[in-house]
Amino acid sequence: MNDMADSSSASDTVCQEKYDVFLSFRGVDTRDTFTSHLYSALVRKKIETYIDYKLESGDKIAPNLLEAIEKSKLSVVIFSKNYASSTWCLEELAHILECKDRYGQIVVPIFYGIDPSHVRKQQGSYGDAFAQLEQRFKDSMDKVLKWRAALTDAADISGFDASNKTGTEADFVEKVAQDVLSKLNHKSSSNLKGLVGIEIQIEQIESLLCIDSPDVCTVGIWGMGGIGKTTLAEAVFHRLTSKFEASCFLSNVREESERHGLKHLQNALLREILNEKDLNIDTPSIGRSFVRERLSRTKVLIVLDDVNDSSQLELLVGDDIQFGCGSRIIITTRDRRLLKKMGDPDKIFKVEGLRCDEALQLFHLHAFKNDSMGSYYTELSRMVVDFAGGIPLALIILGSLFLHCESKQDWEDQLNELKKFPNRKIQNVLRLSFDGLEKNAKEIFLDIACFYKGMDIRLAKEMLDIRGFFAGGIKVLIDKSLISISEMNCLEMHDLLQEMGLEMVREQCIEEPGKRSRLFIEEDVSHVLKNNTGTATVECIFFNMSKIKELHLNPAAFKKMYNLRVLEIYNSSSLDNKCSKLYVPEGLQSLPDTLSYLHWEGYPLKYFPSKFSPQNLVNIQMAHSQVEQLWSKGQKLANLKVIDFSFSKHLTEIPDLSLSRKIEHINLGCCKSLVEIPSYFQYLDKLSFLGLRGCSNLKYLPELPISIKTLYLSETAIKELPSSVWSNENLSHLDIEFCKDLENLPSCSCKLKFPFRFSIEGCSSLRKVWELPRYIQQQQQQSLFPLSGQ
């Protein structure tokens, strides 16, 4: 018999929240007036607000609306003159009050153009409405009584009466929005789910931030890995973000700067702060001084998470960048020295481990299905918590581990297992969760630790599929608290867990990296490729060329790695350094036929190895390569989906892809030696992206398949577009800017679904605007770009 107490259902007391606010209103009364203004005010305060844009019809409320109500923290009910005449609204209200009783949802009533007593007592227009309802529903009066009770209860809740407002309508809207924000902040403060011991730390950090001061202030959050720095910064960020004009939480600064470079991070920060998704600070047309002026006028909240180098701070928030009055910058790091360089040492908050009672509380939240436990389990819990040393992440994972122990004996066995690790380091504690995984989930965990942390989950699943793994293992890892999915839908893994995964791969062979399954450390990859020490054990190689000075590659470096599935050689430094550090003086003798994913940025040779057979390739990306000709003809590329040889200036010919019926994405942009696109392209019926931008010698384009959605042709030498382009109803992006030789556009057969961003700027051979087809003239009236010759 199970000694642990049985769990009870929590479905009646817990509801996973998705929205901050749900708006309930009578559309014909206020949709285009008060409700629209209130919605805009809430959105400006970065309050996630649900509004139903559909017209109400019928007696039954839509299931998705019921779900939206249940997943909202607060409901605003706008009682107007005709609110009670809508059974749709009345059903919404009844469900809102049920959620108030069941989940503790906050309800804010607003009486707009109606006396609150008429709502409470169903008088006036509400009395008229119910007289009709009683006739309509005379056979189900219980429903009418339910609606009456809901109106009475809602009218008794403290809210806002528009007839008593002072000032303008705008003042009233702002007052309501500010009240909603205040209530949400209070609810958030009292409901920090599972974040034991964090409330007092949030208050201490807010005190250091001095929110009411007009000065610009920087606060550092410092502590060891796994101690909760990021969690604390996120809590402060979400609590304060609505007080600022713009905000940005820049995650994983250390890792992102290593992988993509600091300029990538700078652009990401500026795009978020200035709300320009395509902004690139290095674009010549971008006025740097104007960007700085805009920043200096913007009150911002910025979090830089996991900073490990002073250059990151200098570029992102250094002295050369001035933010608006009242701006706040929060930095999390393991290195206190970085924070001392930023200024006031009194603005550094050290995150300590949890106290014993807090650690026990956090462990219990994750180890027990309910609060019921015997004294014996309390003692066992204390012994387990000792292993975690107050580190929250370790406590959560240990709790998940012990959650599945169904008896005292299971607990004791698991505890004895813990005692086998004499040093009691956190890595060993975390490894217990890994050891309980099936092989598929283990391999996925190691791949994420080595390569895919921070990657968009969609792309990561594609890579795992290429590797032959079942992506369902991702959910297993989430359930085991080994990974998580960020708000940006990216894979996240705590540093301690990642370090554990990296160490496990290194342990496969300490002496010789060429005998490990995954190669990811630059020195190890360099050693293997230079000395030809690879073996059949190697499955994946990720190599950042910018981390080494130069490498003389052994011509036979890949010969013995005949199980290699993924090869990624990239350069995170500036484009000027591409292809400058890798030398293969005798030519490359082989690439494994097993390769499914080949990403070799700046491939330094003119040809592929003569014996290379790419039949297993799914994805090949070789931008900035020196290649002149791809693999030999007659290859069956039945699995190929993605091909990218952009900026390969010597490429003169595309290989035969006529049998590549799975291909979806082809990018040959800036291949300036390319003069022809084969006619069989029209039969590639899965092709959705074709990039030919900057192919300055390309004069002819064949008919294309109707599957094409994105077509880049700017700066090419084409004179005429094939008719299949203009008849393609699936095309959503067409770029023909600066096609100087383009002479004609079709006069009548166009089936493109305008409007989408469309410009003919720089198309100097086109006829005057008044001679162009009418649909182009109409589109151009809305364009942000001028017509050539106007």
Side-chain angles (χ1 to χ4, degrees):
M1 183 175 178
N2 190 349
D3 291 317
M4 300 286 286
D6 293 333
S7 66
S8 59
S9 172
S11 61
D12 291 335
T13 57
V14 178
C15 184
Q16 187 176 2
E17 292 163 342
K18 183 177 181 181
Y19 305 102
D20 294 321
V21 172
F22 179 90
L23 291 179
S24 177
F25 60 98
R26 180 74 165 105
V28 294
D29 287 357
T30 66
R31 180 186 300 278
D32 297 329
T33 53
F34 176 77
T35 298
S36 65
H37 299 317
L38 178 59
Y39 175 76
S40 296
L42 295 173
V43 170
R44 283 196 301 272
K45 294 181 182 296
K46 305 203 173 45
I47 296 172
E48 189 70 25
T49 305
Y50 183 93
I51 184 170
D52 180 24
Y53 288 104
K54 299 177 182 177
L55 294 175
E56 303 132 4
S57 61
D59 294 330
K60 291 186 177 180
I61 187 171
N64 64 309
L65 247 61
L66 296 175
E67 181 182 7
I69 293 170
E70 292 171 2
K71 292 188 175 182
S72 298
K73 301 174 185 176
L74 180 149
S75 284
V76 174
V77 184
I78 303 169
F79 290 114
S80 55
K81 181 179 179 181
N82 298 307
Y83 186 93
S85 65
S86 168
T87 57
W88 187 284
C89 289
L90 294 173
E91 282 294 308
E92 274 187 4
L93 178 63
H95 198 66
I96 286 169
L97 293 178
E98 286 178 15
C99 292
K100 173 179 178 291
D101 295 335
R102 184 181 300 176
Y103 308 129
Q105 187 179 104
I106 303 170
V107 179
V108 177
I110 298 173
F111 303 95
Y112 192 83
I114 189 70
D115 190 319
S117 66
H118 288 184
V119 178
R120 183 179 297 108
K121 300 176 182 178
Q122 294 92 62
Q123 296 175 343
S125 62
Y126 280 53
D128 297 338
F130 269 87
Q132 296 180 29
L133 290 172
E134 287 176 352
Q135 287 296 317
R136 283 179 59 192
F137 296 96
K138 58 185 176 181
D139 295 329
S140 53
M141 288 299 295
D142 55 333
K143 183 178 294 189
V144 177
L145 293 174
K146 180 183 73 171
W147 293 336
R148 283 189 180 275
L151 286 169
T152 301
D153 291 344
D156 285 333
I157 299 172
S158 176
F160 294 88
D161 185 353
S163 64
N164 295 331
K165 70 176 185 290
T166 56
T168 65
E169 181 93 340
D171 295 330
F172 181 62
V173 168
E174 180 61 26
K175 183 178 180 180
V176 173
Q178 194 59 45
D179 180 75
V180 169
L181 178 62
S182 177
K183 285 181 168 64
L184 288 171
N185 278 334
H186 184 269
K187 181 178 177 67
S188 176
S189 299
S190 61
N191 190 29
L192 295 170
K193 298 177 181 177
L195 303 182
V196 176
I198 200 173
E199 180 63 34
I200 189 170
Q201 297 181 81
I202 293 175
E203 292 174 358
Q204 291 169 335
I205 292 174
E206 287 183 347
S207 176
L208 292 175
L209 286 168
C210 303
I211 292 298
D212 295 328
S213 169
D215 298 331
V216 177
C217 175
T218 300
V219 168
I221 300 178
W222 166 59
M224 67 170 289
I227 204 69
K229 303 183 297 296
T230 300
T231 301
L232 186 55
E234 286 177 339
V236 174
F237 179 80
H238 289 301
R239 189 142 121 172
L240 299 180
T241 185
S242 60
K243 297 180 181 292
F244 296 82
E245 296 170 352
S247 58
C248 178
F249 192 106
L250 211 55
S251 301
N252 303 318
V253 170
R254 170 184 58 81
E255 184 175 350
E256 290 298 311
S257 62
E258 290 176 358
R259 187 169 181 83
H260 300 294
L262 280 174
K263 286 293 183 182
H264 170 83
L265 280 175
Q266 185 184 42
N267 281 325
L269 177 64
L270 293 176
R271 287 167 186 161
E272 188 72 16
I273 293 298
L274 299 178
N275 195 26
E276 291 188 27
K277 64 178 182 178
D278 297 323
L279 186 149
N280 186 337
I281 195 66
D282 290 326
T283 302
S285 60
I286 297 294
R288 289 172 176 263
S289 60
F290 184 51
V291 168
R292 284 196 290 268
E293 289 175 11
R294 291 171 66 190
L295 291 175
S296 69
R297 295 193 292 264
T298 307
K299 180 182 177 182
V300 302
L301 173 63
I302 297 172
V303 174
L304 303 182
D305 177 49
D306 193 21
V307 173
N308 73 328
D309 192 280
S310 58
S311 63
Q312 298 159 357
L313 297 177
E314 290 168 6
L315 184 67
L316 298 174
V317 294
D319 293 336
D320 292 339
I321 304 175
Q322 301 296 322
F323 298 103
C325 293
S327 292
R328 295 295 181 267
I329 301 165
I330 300 173
I331 301 164
T332 77
T333 183
R334 299 182 186 187
D335 190 347
R336 187 177 184 181
R337 293 171 298 179
L338 296 177
L339 299 175
K340 287 182 176 179
K341 293 179 182 179
M342 289 298 295
D344 189 350
D346 293 332
K347 295 291 187 180
I348 299 175
F349 181 80
K350 181 180 180 182
V351 185
E352 304 282 0
L354 296 176
R355 300 194 312 265
C356 183
D357 59 330
E358 293 172 337
L360 272 172
Q361 183 183 352
L362 182 59
F363 175 70
H364 287 163
L365 281 174
H366 294 272
F368 295 95
K369 296 177 181 177
N370 54 35
D371 296 330
S372 177
M373 72 184 83
S375 59
Y376 186 77
Y377 286 111
T378 302
E379 186 59 32
L380 285 173
S381 296
R382 291 185 183 278
M383 297 173 68
V384 174
V385 166
D386 285 342
F387 284 94
I391 298 176
L393 178 71
L395 291 163
I396 291 170
I397 293 179
L398 279 171
S400 177
L401 185 69
F402 279 85
L403 175 64
H404 302 288
C405 295
E406 297 183 348
S407 68
K408 293 177 182 178
Q409 187 61 50
D410 289 343
W411 269 68
E412 291 172 351
D413 291 344
Q414 194 66 260
L415 192 55
N416 290 332
E417 185 72 17
L418 279 173
K419 291 178 180 179
K420 293 179 181 179
F421 301 94
N423 57 13
R424 297 186 179 183
K425 290 183 178 179
I426 296 300
Q427 259 192 27
N428 290 335
V429 174
L430 301 179
R431 186 159 179 166
L432 290 174
S433 291
F434 175 87
D435 290 339
L437 298 173
E438 297 294 333
K439 178 176 175 57
N440 180 70
K442 283 184 176 180
E443 296 296 329
I444 291 176
F445 175 85
L446 294 178
D447 267 8
I448 295 172
C450 295
F451 312 127
Y452 307 143
K453 179 184 173 185
M455 181 180 286
D456 181 274
I457 189 171
R458 180 182 59 84
L459 296 177
K461 286 181 176 180
E462 290 178 3
M463 293 298 294
L464 293 170
D465 183 64
I466 288 174
R467 292 270 283 126
F469 297 141
F470 174 53
I474 289 178
K475 186 177 188 306
V476 175
L477 298 179
I478 294 173
D479 292 341
K480 290 285 188 179
S481 301
L482 291 169
I483 64 170
S484 61
I485 307 298
S486 72
E487 291 182 355
M488 301 301 293
N489 216 31
C490 295
L491 288 173
E492 297 294 337
M493 176 183 287
H494 194 276
D495 289 345
L496 286 175
L497 289 163
Q498 184 181 31
E499 290 170 5
M500 178 188 77
L502 301 181
E503 183 60 26
M504 292 173 69
V505 173
R506 286 191 289 264
E507 289 173 357
Q508 291 172 356
C509 186
I510 300 297
E511 298 81 12
E512 177 48 59
K515 295 181 180 180
R516 302 172 192 161
S517 60
R518 298 161 177 85
L519 297 178
F520 49 89
I521 299 173
E522 283 70 31
E523 293 78 10
D524 291 342
V525 179
S526 178
H527 165 81
V528 171
L529 298 183
K530 181 179 180 180
N531 300 303
N532 189 20
T533 58
T535 68
T537 305
V538 180
E539 300 173 3
C540 299
I541 296 177
F542 275 61
F543 184 34
N544 188 348
M545 282 295 300
S546 65
K547 296 294 187 68
I548 63 167
K549 293 183 179 180
E550 63 180 37
L551 171 62
H552 289 266
L553 188 70
N554 189 304
F558 297 103
K559 245 180 184 179
K560 292 182 286 188
M561 293 186 280
Y562 48 80
N563 285 319
L564 187 64
R565 298 288 299 275
V566 174
L567 174 61
E568 177 160 348
I569 298 177
Y570 63 100
N571 191 326
S572 64
S573 63
S574 66
L575 292 177
D576 295 333
N577 294 330
K578 303 289 185 193
C579 317
S580 62
K581 299 178 180 178
L582 186 60
Y583 305 98
V584 196
E586 300 175 36
L588 196 62
Q589 294 178 7
S590 68
L591 279 172
D593 295 345
T594 52
L595 276 176
S596 297
Y597 180 87
L598 176 57
H599 178 185
W600 193 326
E601 200 169 4
Y603 180 73
L605 304 177
K606 294 182 179 180
Y607 306 101
F608 284 96
S610 59
K611 294 183 180 181
F612 177 49
S613 181
Q615 70 270 14
N616 289 310
L617 275 178
V618 175
N619 187 313
I620 179 168
Q621 300 184 48
M622 303 188 77
H624 297 277
S625 74
Q626 300 298 308
V627 72
E628 294 180 358
Q629 182 177 340
L630 303 184
W631 44 83
S632 59
K633 295 182 179 180
Q635 297 285 353
K636 294 183 178 180
L637 305 172
N639 299 304
L640 191 61
K641 292 183 178 180
V642 176
I643 180 171
D644 184 345
F645 279 82
S646 56
F647 295 94
S648 297
K649 57 185 178 181
H650 301 300
L651 184 66
T652 59
E653 183 180 359
I654 302 172
D656 186 1
L657 302 174
S658 59
L659 298 179
S660 305
R661 304 308 293 269
K662 292 183 180 180
I663 198 158
E664 301 169 354
H665 181 110
I666 297 178
N667 187 2
L668 300 169
C670 292
C671 291
K672 296 185 181 296
S673 298
L674 193 66
V675 297
E676 182 180 8
I677 300 300
S679 60
Y680 65 74
F681 264 47
Q682 63 183 305
Y683 304 115
L684 302 178
D685 56 5
K686 294 290 191 299
L687 185 63
S688 63
F689 178 100
L690 179 58
L692 300 170
R693 176 183 292 168
C695 294
S696 53
N697 287 306
L698 181 64
K699 298 180 179 180
Y700 170 75
L701 192 66
E703 297 296 337
L704 296 175
I706 61 172
S707 56
I708 290 281
K709 295 181 179 178
T710 300
L711 181 59
Y712 287 103
L713 296 172
S714 61
E715 301 178 62
T716 59
I718 58 172
K719 294 184 177 181
E720 185 175 3
L721 294 175
S723 60
S724 58
V725 171
W726 303 107
S727 61
N728 184 356
E729 298 184 21
N730 295 315
L731 194 65
S732 59
H733 191 112
L734 174 62
D735 180 6
I736 58 172
E737 290 184 359
F738 297 100
C739 289
K740 296 180 180 179
D741 298 324
L742 185 63
E743 297 177 350
N744 294 300
L745 297 177
S747 58
C748 60
S749 62
C750 179
K751 294 184 179 180
L752 297 185
K753 295 183 178 179
F754 291 102
F756 61 80
R757 178 66 67 88
F758 179 80
S759 169
I760 53 177
E761 183 183 16
C763 298
S764 53
S765 295
L766 283 176
R767 293 171 292 174
K768 297 290 185 178
V769 62
W770 52 83
E771 296 176 331
L772 290 177
R774 180 177 298 175
Y775 67 89
I776 294 292
Q777 296 184 44
Q778 293 173 344
Q779 175 63 20
Q780 200 60 41
Q781 292 173 4
Q782 304 175 25
S783 176
L784 298 179
F785 304 99
L787 271 168
S788 172
Q790 277 189 284

